[in-house]
Amino acid sequence: MSDLQVAGNPLTVGTAIPGFSRTSDIIQQFLYNAVLYNAHRIHFDTPYATEVEGYPGLVVAGPLLGDWLHQCVELWLGDEGRLVRIQYSNRGAAYTGDQLHVGGEVTAVDPDHATATLTLWVKNDAGDTLVPAEVDIVLGERR
């Protein structure tokens, strides 16, 4: 068993990463994509997204989903460590108004180096994993 802890709880393989649920709306999509200089109309123009591109609604920006994965880790770690690597892949589309769920678990712990690997995900209400991710953290280092 590892002596590593997060929030006073032992850090072991299988430890759940507390997650959260988010729902994006048209205002968030417009502003988020403006900051990214992403002018793709599928993120803010409903008639274009539905009638021209054939989506059922406005598409949630993939980088926003990646940001939510990052936030999930940061909220869990607090000041007890830092995220050193994140790799994610957008495998399915999410649409404004969808309730999305972010969470994960610890999949590897290296107590000698105070590091751990996490598997994270963004899922929709149907339980489909839209965005799988792998994250490496180091404990005992502040951001």
Side-chain angles (χ1 to χ4, degrees):
M1 178 174 231
S2 163
D3 290 336
L4 300 176
Q5 295 188 2
V6 174
N9 298 310
L11 185 65
T12 59
V13 171
T15 297
I17 309 303
F20 51 76
S21 296
R22 298 272 193 272
T23 302
S24 183
D25 63 19
I26 189 171
I27 305 259
Q28 182 180 41
Q29 285 306 301
F30 177 81
L31 295 173
Y32 187 86
N33 285 284
V35 168
L36 295 180
Y37 293 99
N38 181 0
H40 199 314
R41 292 167 58 186
I42 63 173
H43 302 299
F44 62 86
D45 182 340
T46 301
Y48 177 83
T50 58
E51 296 166 18
V52 176
E53 295 282 346
Y55 291 110
L58 294 176
V59 179
V60 175
L64 178 60
L65 302 175
D67 285 346
W68 288 349
L69 291 163
H70 193 276
Q71 288 171 10
C72 181
V73 175
E74 293 292 328
L75 289 169
W76 173 65
L77 278 176
D79 288 333
E80 297 183 49
R82 66 184 176 91
L83 187 153
V84 293
R85 182 186 69 87
I86 184 168
Q87 181 177 350
Y88 69 94
S89 177
N90 294 306
R91 303 278 175 91
Y95 305 97
T96 56
D98 289 354
Q99 186 170 39
L100 302 174
H101 312 282
V102 183
E105 69 178 7
V106 176
T107 52
V109 178
D110 181 350
D112 295 332
H113 296 99
T115 61
T117 300
L118 318 174
T119 295
L120 298 175
W121 37 258
V122 176
K123 294 182 179 184
N124 61 18
D125 270 344
D128 302 322
T129 299
L130 304 178
V131 186
E134 186 175 273
V135 171
D136 292 331
I137 62 167
V138 61
L139 297 174
E141 291 185 11
R142 294 186 183 266
R143 288 177 250 162

